[in-house]
Amino acid sequence: MKKITAALLTLALAGTLAACGGEQSPATNSQPAADNSQAASDPAAASGSVTTLGSTSMNDVMNYLAEGFREVNGNVTVTVEGGGSSAGVEAALTGTADIGLASRALDADEEAQGLVGTTLALDGIAVIVHGDNPVSDLTLEQIAQIYTGEITNWSQVGGDDAEIALMGREDGSGTRDGFESITETEDQCDYDQELTSTGAVIEAVRSNPQAIGYASLSAVEGEEGIVAITVGGVACTEATILDGTYAIQRPFVLVTNSDAQLTPAAQAFFDWATSAQANELITAAGAVPVAE
Amino acid sequence: MQEENVMAELPHAPGQGEQSGDRPSALARFKARFGLRTTREVVEFLVHALFFLCGFVAVACVLFISVYLVVSGVPAIAQIGVADFLFGATWNGSQGQFGILPFVLTSLAGTAGAILIGVPIGVLTALFLAKVAPARVAAVIRSAVSLLAGIPSVVYGLVGMMVLVPAIQRAFGLASGACLLAAIVVLAIMILPSIINVAETALRAVPKEYEEASLALGATHIETIFRVSLPAARSGVATAVVLGVGRAIGEAMAIIMVSGNVSNLPGSLFTSVRFLTTAIASEMNYAPVGSLWRDALFSIGLVLFLFIMLINVILNVFIKNRKGD
């Protein structure tokens, strides 16, 4: 009885504290960048912090770049925050972040407001099936129909008579966001498994002959037991992504405001990230770099 | 233990006592402040204080975690609405839908299934070990059981994913084998060690006289086990079951790999499902700090915490009854 009472007391106490804390809890966590780099005029000697905010799909690439830039210029710290592409565009417009991140091209309205989009890299998503699956090509529409449950059997797309098992990523994943937005199947996908990493998706497809899944191109290359199918007859390679013929791809865009000048630190990071020097890091993060 | 301490302190005690008598030092003031007469008493007092401090660390941690969970979990529930949160059937964090009914039902169904499979196997194993098996056989089985308890949960998950999931897929002709059934089987195996250990201890504690009396009255060995030993150890076995429930409901790593992890209502054994634990684990990486989504994940943690508190209360009741037997 004593223990029960103690437990109840704990809860009651906790409850009181919660009541006190409740009002302040919606924290404001996206404050404007502390700009202490005014003194530096030479970009190479820039110091301070650079805030980037936006598409969570770009988190991997940006974290690689932020880490890499520390080696180039140790006086600059680059922070990466999520929030989505629209939040990234908004942040660039209002100046709450130095650089906005968007995993889509800017539309005409946004460009009319003075925003400039610079493509940092391209993100190609390969559609993968089991190595023994006779199906080797699907159209974008067929892929969308498979993931929304309109096509449920491989025989409907020229394969064996077997039910299709849909493998995907969990909610919040950049790969899932990219795949669903390009195939226009947002929130309509009827997954059989939501896996928590790219490796797990590949493993799930490898161990299930009826499975279909998706993963970044870089993760799929060289994997045995799975096949990246061609989409509308186009294979998923760096070349087809760069020339735009492979359909399931999207740009990673750095958004800046032409009305406001970047701080020296932000400019230095921007120049470095969009130069060929960052290509290796971008590739390592799973995207296709565009700088030459 | 206490006596040993006294012995150890004896040689030092007189010398230190004289010193502190010569000049009214900090030690003397300390003694006066707490009404202590000798240096031995001071040492006793300090060691007690140290023990108290150590004990307090555990209490402080529990308090901190409880308070933290409630503080970070309650606002989201208040904002979403208790009924919408607990009984909403759709969870889609990034789109602002926060109904955790699928997770709650899945956790309950998964735990119930694991108990349904795990308890009979566990209790019968415990009976075998305590009452039937020759000493050598029992020793082998017992060390195998301890080994089972020592396997990290991620390994259960990995083996489940590579072996169990494809096997279920083939056996039942499914598109995908990652489902509630796979999670139940993995959980059932994982809770076996705790059930076996606790139940065996309880069965061994049954007084020999009960069994001897039963045998003397003409019952066979097996009749004695099921009609006398098992009923006599029932509260211990119940404790084992509750411990199993606690272990099953809190497990995350193993089942995230085999359950499919889609937030469906657990319609059948072959539905791809997501548990309370795995819901937190799979989305915590993505939910932005300060968003309702992240707060709602903490709220799931709070619900899970309350479940486990409830199980602990039940466990304490059982243990108390057992002492009363």
Side-chain angles (χ1 to χ4, degrees), chain A residues 228-265:
Chain A
I229 59 168
T230 56
V231 177
V234 182
C236 181
T237 64
E238 280 194 23
T240 56
I241 290 169
L242 278 172
D243 69 18
T245 48
Y246 183 73
I248 309 179
Q249 65 159 295
R250 56 188 178 153
F252 283 163
V253 177
L254 298 180
V255 187
T256 49
N257 193 337
S258 59
D259 296 337
Q261 208 182 350
L262 287 173
T263 64

PDB file of all heavy atoms in Angstrom, chain A residues 228-265:
ATOM      1  N   ALA A 228      17.731  -2.523 -59.310  1.00  0.00           N
ATOM      2  CA  ALA A 228      17.076  -1.231 -59.480  1.00  0.00           C
ATOM      3  C   ALA A 228      16.399  -1.253 -60.846  1.00  0.00           C
ATOM      4  O   ALA A 228      17.067  -1.383 -61.868  1.00  0.00           O
ATOM      5  CB  ALA A 228      18.097  -0.100 -59.405  1.00  0.00           C
ATOM      6  N   ILE A 229      15.078  -1.185 -60.873  1.00  0.00           N
ATOM      7  CA  ILE A 229      14.375  -1.289 -62.143  1.00  0.00           C
ATOM      8  C   ILE A 229      14.470   0.028 -62.912  1.00  0.00           C
ATOM      9  O   ILE A 229      14.762   1.082 -62.343  1.00  0.00           O
ATOM     10  CB  ILE A 229      12.887  -1.650 -61.930  1.00  0.00           C
ATOM     11  CG1 ILE A 229      12.201  -0.590 -61.059  1.00  0.00           C
ATOM     12  CG2 ILE A 229      12.734  -3.025 -61.324  1.00  0.00           C
ATOM     13  CD1 ILE A 229      10.710  -0.723 -61.065  1.00  0.00           C
ATOM     14  N   THR A 230      14.237  -0.062 -64.222  1.00  0.00           N
ATOM     15  CA  THR A 230      14.212   1.148 -65.032  1.00  0.00           C
ATOM     16  C   THR A 230      12.823   1.768 -64.925  1.00  0.00           C
ATOM     17  O   THR A 230      11.822   1.067 -64.835  1.00  0.00           O
ATOM     18  CB  THR A 230      14.533   0.835 -66.499  1.00  0.00           C
ATOM     19  OG1 THR A 230      13.613  -0.157 -66.960  1.00  0.00           O
ATOM     20  CG2 THR A 230      15.948   0.295 -66.645  1.00  0.00           C
ATOM     21  N   VAL A 231      12.772   3.072 -64.894  1.00  0.00           N
ATOM     22  CA  VAL A 231      11.494   3.779 -64.776  1.00  0.00           C
ATOM     23  C   VAL A 231      11.169   4.402 -66.130  1.00  0.00           C
ATOM     24  O   VAL A 231      11.878   5.297 -66.581  1.00  0.00           O
ATOM     25  CB  VAL A 231      11.556   4.853 -63.675  1.00  0.00           C
ATOM     26  CG1 VAL A 231      10.248   5.629 -63.620  1.00  0.00           C
ATOM     27  CG2 VAL A 231      11.861   4.223 -62.334  1.00  0.00           C
ATOM     28  N   GLY A 232      10.125   3.889 -66.777  1.00  0.00           N
ATOM     29  CA  GLY A 232       9.786   4.347 -68.125  1.00  0.00           C
ATOM     30  C   GLY A 232      10.938   4.107 -69.082  1.00  0.00           C
ATOM     31  O   GLY A 232      11.180   4.885 -70.003  1.00  0.00           O
ATOM     32  N   GLY A 233      11.684   3.027 -68.871  1.00  0.00           N
ATOM     33  CA  GLY A 233      12.762   2.659 -69.767  1.00  0.00           C
ATOM     34  C   GLY A 233      14.099   3.311 -69.449  1.00  0.00           C
ATOM     35  O   GLY A 233      15.093   3.036 -70.103  1.00  0.00           O
ATOM     36  N   VAL A 234      14.127   4.168 -68.424  1.00  0.00           N
ATOM     37  CA  VAL A 234      15.378   4.865 -68.103  1.00  0.00           C
ATOM     38  C   VAL A 234      15.979   4.272 -66.824  1.00  0.00           C
ATOM     39  O   VAL A 234      15.300   4.203 -65.793  1.00  0.00           O
ATOM     40  CB  VAL A 234      15.136   6.375 -67.908  1.00  0.00           C
ATOM     41  CG1 VAL A 234      16.454   7.081 -67.613  1.00  0.00           C
ATOM     42  CG2 VAL A 234      14.461   6.962 -69.128  1.00  0.00           C
ATOM     43  N   ALA A 235      17.215   3.837 -66.903  1.00  0.00           N
ATOM     44  CA  ALA A 235      17.884   3.289 -65.732  1.00  0.00           C
ATOM     45  C   ALA A 235      18.262   4.419 -64.775  1.00  0.00           C
ATOM     46  O   ALA A 235      18.477   5.552 -65.205  1.00  0.00           O
ATOM     47  CB  ALA A 235      19.126   2.525 -66.146  1.00  0.00           C
ATOM     48  N   CYS A 236      18.335   4.079 -63.507  1.00  0.00           N
ATOM     49  CA  CYS A 236      18.723   5.083 -62.504  1.00  0.00           C
ATOM     50  C   CYS A 236      20.239   5.107 -62.371  1.00  0.00           C
ATOM     51  O   CYS A 236      20.835   4.233 -61.748  1.00  0.00           O
ATOM     52  CB  CYS A 236      18.064   4.761 -61.165  1.00  0.00           C
ATOM     53  SG  CYS A 236      18.439   5.950 -59.877  1.00  0.00           S
ATOM     54  N   THR A 237      20.872   6.087 -63.005  1.00  0.00           N
ATOM     55  CA  THR A 237      22.322   6.254 -62.871  1.00  0.00           C
ATOM     56  C   THR A 237      22.602   7.737 -62.660  1.00  0.00           C
ATOM     57  O   THR A 237      21.715   8.578 -62.852  1.00  0.00           O
ATOM     58  CB  THR A 237      23.061   5.814 -64.144  1.00  0.00           C
ATOM     59  OG1 THR A 237      22.659   6.698 -65.206  1.00  0.00           O
ATOM     60  CG2 THR A 237      22.731   4.380 -64.537  1.00  0.00           C
ATOM     61  N   GLU A 238      23.813   8.040 -62.289  1.00  0.00           N
ATOM     62  CA  GLU A 238      24.156   9.455 -62.098  1.00  0.00           C
ATOM     63  C   GLU A 238      23.953  10.245 -63.390  1.00  0.00           C
ATOM     64  O   GLU A 238      23.488  11.381 -63.372  1.00  0.00           O
ATOM     65  CB  GLU A 238      25.615   9.579 -61.645  1.00  0.00           C
ATOM     66  CG  GLU A 238      25.777   9.309 -60.177  1.00  0.00           C
ATOM     67  CD  GLU A 238      27.141   9.759 -59.657  1.00  0.00           C
ATOM     68  OE1 GLU A 238      27.752  10.627 -60.297  1.00  0.00           O
ATOM     69  OE2 GLU A 238      27.559   9.228 -58.614  1.00  0.00           O
ATOM     70  N   ALA A 239      24.292   9.593 -64.525  1.00  0.00           N
ATOM     71  CA  ALA A 239      24.187  10.285 -65.814  1.00  0.00           C
ATOM     72  C   ALA A 239      22.735  10.620 -66.133  1.00  0.00           C
ATOM     73  O   ALA A 239      22.425  11.748 -66.536  1.00  0.00           O
ATOM     74  CB  ALA A 239      24.793   9.419 -66.920  1.00  0.00           C
ATOM     75  N   THR A 240      21.823   9.648 -65.941  1.00  0.00           N
ATOM     76  CA  THR A 240      20.417   9.916 -66.283  1.00  0.00           C
ATOM     77  C   THR A 240      19.794  10.905 -65.305  1.00  0.00           C
ATOM     78  O   THR A 240      18.850  11.607 -65.648  1.00  0.00           O
ATOM     79  CB  THR A 240      19.591   8.620 -66.292  1.00  0.00           C
ATOM     80  OG1 THR A 240      19.720   7.971 -65.028  1.00  0.00           O
ATOM     81  CG2 THR A 240      20.029   7.682 -67.401  1.00  0.00           C
ATOM     82  N   ILE A 241      20.305  10.947 -64.080  1.00  0.00           N
ATOM     83  CA  ILE A 241      19.795  11.940 -63.127  1.00  0.00           C
ATOM     84  C   ILE A 241      20.270  13.331 -63.537  1.00  0.00           C
ATOM     85  O   ILE A 241      19.501  14.290 -63.584  1.00  0.00           O
ATOM     86  CB  ILE A 241      20.261  11.606 -61.689  1.00  0.00           C
ATOM     87  CG1 ILE A 241      19.544  10.355 -61.198  1.00  0.00           C
ATOM     88  CG2 ILE A 241      19.982  12.768 -60.751  1.00  0.00           C
ATOM     89  CD1 ILE A 241      20.090   9.785 -59.920  1.00  0.00           C
ATOM     90  N   LEU A 242      21.561  13.430 -63.911  1.00  0.00           N
ATOM     91  CA  LEU A 242      22.121  14.733 -64.294  1.00  0.00           C
ATOM     92  C   LEU A 242      21.462  15.285 -65.551  1.00  0.00           C
ATOM     93  O   LEU A 242      21.196  16.485 -65.637  1.00  0.00           O
ATOM     94  CB  LEU A 242      23.632  14.619 -64.495  1.00  0.00           C
ATOM     95  CG  LEU A 242      24.480  14.677 -63.221  1.00  0.00           C
ATOM     96  CD1 LEU A 242      25.923  14.370 -63.530  1.00  0.00           C
ATOM     97  CD2 LEU A 242      24.350  16.042 -62.552  1.00  0.00           C
ATOM     98  N   ASP A 243      21.169  14.399 -66.541  1.00  0.00           N
ATOM     99  CA  ASP A 243      20.554  14.942 -67.766  1.00  0.00           C
ATOM    100  C   ASP A 243      19.035  15.042 -67.653  1.00  0.00           C
ATOM    101  O   ASP A 243      18.351  15.447 -68.592  1.00  0.00           O
ATOM    102  CB  ASP A 243      21.007  14.165 -69.017  1.00  0.00           C
ATOM    103  CG  ASP A 243      20.458  12.754 -69.075  1.00  0.00           C
ATOM    104  OD1 ASP A 243      19.480  12.464 -68.366  1.00  0.00           O
ATOM    105  OD2 ASP A 243      21.012  11.935 -69.831  1.00  0.00           O
ATOM    106  N   GLY A 244      18.500  14.617 -66.499  1.00  0.00           N
ATOM    107  CA  GLY A 244      17.082  14.859 -66.250  1.00  0.00           C
ATOM    108  C   GLY A 244      16.138  13.817 -66.817  1.00  0.00           C
ATOM    109  O   GLY A 244      14.916  13.966 -66.710  1.00  0.00           O
ATOM    110  N   THR A 245      16.660  12.739 -67.448  1.00  0.00           N
ATOM    111  CA  THR A 245      15.761  11.768 -68.055  1.00  0.00           C
ATOM    112  C   THR A 245      15.168  10.811 -67.029  1.00  0.00           C
ATOM    113  O   THR A 245      14.070  10.292 -67.208  1.00  0.00           O
ATOM    114  CB  THR A 245      16.475  10.943 -69.155  1.00  0.00           C
ATOM    115  OG1 THR A 245      17.720  10.486 -68.622  1.00  0.00           O
ATOM    116  CG2 THR A 245      16.714  11.768 -70.397  1.00  0.00           C
ATOM    117  N   TYR A 246      15.882  10.557 -65.923  1.00  0.00           N
ATOM    118  CA  TYR A 246      15.339   9.673 -64.892  1.00  0.00           C
ATOM    119  C   TYR A 246      14.298  10.446 -64.084  1.00  0.00           C
ATOM    120  O   TYR A 246      14.567  11.546 -63.596  1.00  0.00           O
ATOM    121  CB  TYR A 246      16.457   9.151 -63.983  1.00  0.00           C
ATOM    122  CG  TYR A 246      15.968   8.169 -62.952  1.00  0.00           C
ATOM    123  CD1 TYR A 246      15.607   6.875 -63.318  1.00  0.00           C
ATOM    124  CD2 TYR A 246      15.846   8.530 -61.619  1.00  0.00           C
ATOM    125  CE1 TYR A 246      15.134   5.977 -62.385  1.00  0.00           C
ATOM    126  CE2 TYR A 246      15.375   7.637 -60.675  1.00  0.00           C
ATOM    127  CZ  TYR A 246      15.020   6.355 -61.061  1.00  0.00           C
ATOM    128  OH  TYR A 246      14.551   5.464 -60.135  1.00  0.00           O
ATOM    129  N   ALA A 247      13.110   9.858 -63.969  1.00  0.00           N
ATOM    130  CA  ALA A 247      11.970  10.638 -63.461  1.00  0.00           C
ATOM    131  C   ALA A 247      11.989  10.864 -61.955  1.00  0.00           C
ATOM    132  O   ALA A 247      11.606  11.942 -61.483  1.00  0.00           O
ATOM    133  CB  ALA A 247      10.670   9.936 -63.859  1.00  0.00           C
ATOM    134  N   ILE A 248      12.405   9.836 -61.179  1.00  0.00           N
ATOM    135  CA  ILE A 248      12.263   9.984 -59.721  1.00  0.00           C
ATOM    136  C   ILE A 248      13.480  10.712 -59.158  1.00  0.00           C
ATOM    137  O   ILE A 248      14.382  10.125 -58.573  1.00  0.00           O
ATOM    138  CB  ILE A 248      12.044   8.623 -59.048  1.00  0.00           C
ATOM    139  CG1 ILE A 248      10.914   7.878 -59.757  1.00  0.00           C
ATOM    140  CG2 ILE A 248      11.697   8.804 -57.578  1.00  0.00           C
ATOM    141  CD1 ILE A 248      10.618   6.521 -59.208  1.00  0.00           C
ATOM    142  N   GLN A 249      13.523  11.976 -59.365  1.00  0.00           N
ATOM    143  CA  GLN A 249      14.612  12.805 -58.856  1.00  0.00           C
ATOM    144  C   GLN A 249      14.085  14.185 -58.518  1.00  0.00           C
ATOM    145  O   GLN A 249      13.016  14.595 -58.973  1.00  0.00           O
ATOM    146  CB  GLN A 249      15.712  12.931 -59.906  1.00  0.00           C
ATOM    147  CG  GLN A 249      15.270  13.659 -61.147  1.00  0.00           C
ATOM    148  CD  GLN A 249      16.459  14.205 -61.912  1.00  0.00           C
ATOM    149  OE1 GLN A 249      17.160  15.074 -61.430  1.00  0.00           O
ATOM    150  NE2 GLN A 249      16.671  13.690 -63.109  1.00  0.00           N
ATOM    151  N   ARG A 250      14.815  14.885 -57.720  1.00  0.00           N
ATOM    152  CA  ARG A 250      14.435  16.248 -57.351  1.00  0.00           C
ATOM    153  C   ARG A 250      15.694  17.022 -56.984  1.00  0.00           C
ATOM    154  O   ARG A 250      16.703  16.431 -56.603  1.00  0.00           O
ATOM    155  CB  ARG A 250      13.467  16.246 -56.177  1.00  0.00           C
ATOM    156  CG  ARG A 250      14.061  15.506 -55.004  1.00  0.00           C
ATOM    157  CD  ARG A 250      13.065  15.338 -53.915  1.00  0.00           C
ATOM    158  NE  ARG A 250      13.695  14.568 -52.851  1.00  0.00           N
ATOM    159  CZ  ARG A 250      13.354  14.638 -51.580  1.00  0.00           C
ATOM    160  NH1 ARG A 250      12.392  15.435 -51.219  1.00  0.00           N
ATOM    161  NH2 ARG A 250      13.965  13.915 -50.686  1.00  0.00           N
ATOM    162  N   PRO A 251      15.630  18.329 -57.117  1.00  0.00           N
ATOM    163  CA  PRO A 251      16.823  19.117 -56.802  1.00  0.00           C
ATOM    164  C   PRO A 251      16.889  19.448 -55.313  1.00  0.00           C
ATOM    165  O   PRO A 251      15.860  19.596 -54.657  1.00  0.00           O
ATOM    166  CB  PRO A 251      16.606  20.394 -57.605  1.00  0.00           C
ATOM    167  CG  PRO A 251      15.121  20.540 -57.696  1.00  0.00           C
ATOM    168  CD  PRO A 251      14.541  19.157 -57.658  1.00  0.00           C
ATOM    169  N   PHE A 252      18.096  19.544 -54.790  1.00  0.00           N
ATOM    170  CA  PHE A 252      18.329  20.118 -53.463  1.00  0.00           C
ATOM    171  C   PHE A 252      18.764  21.560 -53.697  1.00  0.00           C
ATOM    172  O   PHE A 252      19.792  21.802 -54.323  1.00  0.00           O
ATOM    173  CB  PHE A 252      19.433  19.355 -52.732  1.00  0.00           C
ATOM    174  CG  PHE A 252      18.977  18.031 -52.163  1.00  0.00           C
ATOM    175  CD1 PHE A 252      19.898  17.070 -51.793  1.00  0.00           C
ATOM    176  CD2 PHE A 252      17.629  17.746 -51.993  1.00  0.00           C
ATOM    177  CE1 PHE A 252      19.489  15.851 -51.262  1.00  0.00           C
ATOM    178  CE2 PHE A 252      17.201  16.539 -51.459  1.00  0.00           C
ATOM    179  CZ  PHE A 252      18.142  15.585 -51.089  1.00  0.00           C
ATOM    180  N   VAL A 253      17.977  22.500 -53.217  1.00  0.00           N
ATOM    181  CA  VAL A 253      18.192  23.895 -53.562  1.00  0.00           C
ATOM    182  C   VAL A 253      18.576  24.713 -52.323  1.00  0.00           C
ATOM    183  O   VAL A 253      17.954  24.572 -51.268  1.00  0.00           O
ATOM    184  CB  VAL A 253      16.903  24.483 -54.194  1.00  0.00           C
ATOM    185  CG1 VAL A 253      17.076  25.967 -54.487  1.00  0.00           C
ATOM    186  CG2 VAL A 253      16.546  23.726 -55.463  1.00  0.00           C
ATOM    187  N   LEU A 254      19.626  25.546 -52.491  1.00  0.00           N
ATOM    188  CA  LEU A 254      19.943  26.529 -51.449  1.00  0.00           C
ATOM    189  C   LEU A 254      19.194  27.815 -51.799  1.00  0.00           C
ATOM    190  O   LEU A 254      19.337  28.336 -52.913  1.00  0.00           O
ATOM    191  CB  LEU A 254      21.452  26.804 -51.407  1.00  0.00           C
ATOM    192  CG  LEU A 254      22.358  25.621 -51.065  1.00  0.00           C
ATOM    193  CD1 LEU A 254      23.821  26.069 -51.069  1.00  0.00           C
ATOM    194  CD2 LEU A 254      21.990  25.021 -49.729  1.00  0.00           C
ATOM    195  N   VAL A 255      18.392  28.313 -50.879  1.00  0.00           N
ATOM    196  CA  VAL A 255      17.583  29.492 -51.154  1.00  0.00           C
ATOM    197  C   VAL A 255      18.189  30.701 -50.451  1.00  0.00           C
ATOM    198  O   VAL A 255      18.451  30.669 -49.249  1.00  0.00           O
ATOM    199  CB  VAL A 255      16.128  29.302 -50.662  1.00  0.00           C
ATOM    200  CG1 VAL A 255      15.258  30.456 -51.116  1.00  0.00           C
ATOM    201  CG2 VAL A 255      15.575  27.979 -51.162  1.00  0.00           C
ATOM    202  N   THR A 256      18.442  31.744 -51.237  1.00  0.00           N
ATOM    203  CA  THR A 256      18.962  32.982 -50.652  1.00  0.00           C
ATOM    204  C   THR A 256      18.084  34.141 -51.095  1.00  0.00           C
ATOM    205  O   THR A 256      17.312  34.022 -52.052  1.00  0.00           O
ATOM    206  CB  THR A 256      20.413  33.255 -51.089  1.00  0.00           C
ATOM    207  OG1 THR A 256      20.479  33.100 -52.516  1.00  0.00           O
ATOM    208  CG2 THR A 256      21.374  32.277 -50.445  1.00  0.00           C
ATOM    209  N   ASN A 257      18.208  35.236 -50.395  1.00  0.00           N
ATOM    210  CA  ASN A 257      17.381  36.406 -50.669  1.00  0.00           C
ATOM    211  C   ASN A 257      18.238  37.458 -51.373  1.00  0.00           C
ATOM    212  O   ASN A 257      19.234  37.919 -50.816  1.00  0.00           O
ATOM    213  CB  ASN A 257      16.840  36.956 -49.344  1.00  0.00           C
ATOM    214  CG  ASN A 257      15.731  37.967 -49.557  1.00  0.00           C
ATOM    215  OD1 ASN A 257      15.644  38.579 -50.624  1.00  0.00           O
ATOM    216  ND2 ASN A 257      14.890  38.107 -48.549  1.00  0.00           N
ATOM    217  N   SER A 258      17.849  37.855 -52.603  1.00  0.00           N
ATOM    218  CA  SER A 258      18.685  38.793 -53.362  1.00  0.00           C
ATOM    219  C   SER A 258      18.641  40.192 -52.749  1.00  0.00           C
ATOM    220  O   SER A 258      19.500  41.018 -53.013  1.00  0.00           O
ATOM    221  CB  SER A 258      18.230  38.835 -54.825  1.00  0.00           C
ATOM    222  OG  SER A 258      16.881  39.226 -54.882  1.00  0.00           O
ATOM    223  N   ASP A 259      17.632  40.460 -51.887  1.00  0.00           N
ATOM    224  CA  ASP A 259      17.528  41.784 -51.271  1.00  0.00           C
ATOM    225  C   ASP A 259      18.472  41.957 -50.088  1.00  0.00           C
ATOM    226  O   ASP A 259      18.798  43.071 -49.702  1.00  0.00           O
ATOM    227  CB  ASP A 259      16.094  42.046 -50.787  1.00  0.00           C
ATOM    228  CG  ASP A 259      15.138  42.071 -51.968  1.00  0.00           C
ATOM    229  OD1 ASP A 259      15.619  42.330 -53.090  1.00  0.00           O
ATOM    230  OD2 ASP A 259      13.938  41.822 -51.768  1.00  0.00           O
ATOM    231  N   ALA A 260      18.851  40.833 -49.497  1.00  0.00           N
ATOM    232  CA  ALA A 260      19.722  40.921 -48.320  1.00  0.00           C
ATOM    233  C   ALA A 260      21.050  40.249 -48.631  1.00  0.00           C
ATOM    234  O   ALA A 260      21.082  39.184 -49.247  1.00  0.00           O
ATOM    235  CB  ALA A 260      19.065  40.235 -47.129  1.00  0.00           C
ATOM    236  N   GLN A 261      22.136  40.903 -48.218  1.00  0.00           N
ATOM    237  CA  GLN A 261      23.436  40.329 -48.503  1.00  0.00           C
ATOM    238  C   GLN A 261      23.770  39.272 -47.472  1.00  0.00           C
ATOM    239  O   GLN A 261      23.451  39.415 -46.287  1.00  0.00           O
ATOM    240  CB  GLN A 261      24.499  41.427 -48.499  1.00  0.00           C
ATOM    241  CG  GLN A 261      25.654  41.065 -49.401  1.00  0.00           C
ATOM    242  CD  GLN A 261      26.734  42.118 -49.381  1.00  0.00           C
ATOM    243  OE1 GLN A 261      26.561  43.201 -48.836  1.00  0.00           O
ATOM    244  NE2 GLN A 261      27.854  41.777 -49.982  1.00  0.00           N
ATOM    245  N   LEU A 262      24.399  38.191 -47.915  1.00  0.00           N
ATOM    246  CA  LEU A 262      24.831  37.151 -46.980  1.00  0.00           C
ATOM    247  C   LEU A 262      25.949  37.687 -46.110  1.00  0.00           C
ATOM    248  O   LEU A 262      26.735  38.523 -46.543  1.00  0.00           O
ATOM    249  CB  LEU A 262      25.332  35.924 -47.753  1.00  0.00           C
ATOM    250  CG  LEU A 262      24.279  35.051 -48.437  1.00  0.00           C
ATOM    251  CD1 LEU A 262      24.962  33.989 -49.288  1.00  0.00           C
ATOM    252  CD2 LEU A 262      23.353  34.406 -47.429  1.00  0.00           C
ATOM    253  N   THR A 263      26.017  37.176 -44.895  1.00  0.00           N
ATOM    254  CA  THR A 263      27.152  37.528 -44.038  1.00  0.00           C
ATOM    255  C   THR A 263      28.407  36.911 -44.660  1.00  0.00           C
ATOM    256  O   THR A 263      28.303  35.940 -45.420  1.00  0.00           O
ATOM    257  CB  THR A 263      26.968  36.954 -42.619  1.00  0.00           C
ATOM    258  OG1 THR A 263      26.970  35.536 -42.724  1.00  0.00           O
ATOM    259  CG2 THR A 263      25.666  37.426 -41.990  1.00  0.00           C
ATOM    260  N   PRO A 264      29.588  37.464 -44.366  1.00  0.00           N
ATOM    261  CA  PRO A 264      30.812  36.884 -44.950  1.00  0.00           C
ATOM    262  C   PRO A 264      30.931  35.390 -44.682  1.00  0.00           C
ATOM    263  O   PRO A 264      31.345  34.621 -45.556  1.00  0.00           O
ATOM    264  CB  PRO A 264      31.931  37.669 -44.251  1.00  0.00           C
ATOM    265  CG  PRO A 264      31.302  38.954 -43.850  1.00  0.00           C
ATOM    266  CD  PRO A 264      29.874  38.647 -43.551  1.00  0.00           C
ATOM    267  N   ALA A 265      30.544  34.965 -43.483  1.00  0.00           N
ATOM    268  CA  ALA A 265      30.639  33.546 -43.147  1.00  0.00           C
ATOM    269  C   ALA A 265      29.693  32.731 -44.012  1.00  0.00           C
ATOM    270  O   ALA A 265      30.061  31.681 -44.563  1.00  0.00           O
ATOM    271  CB  ALA A 265      30.321  33.340 -41.670  1.00  0.00           C
TER     272      ALA A 265
END
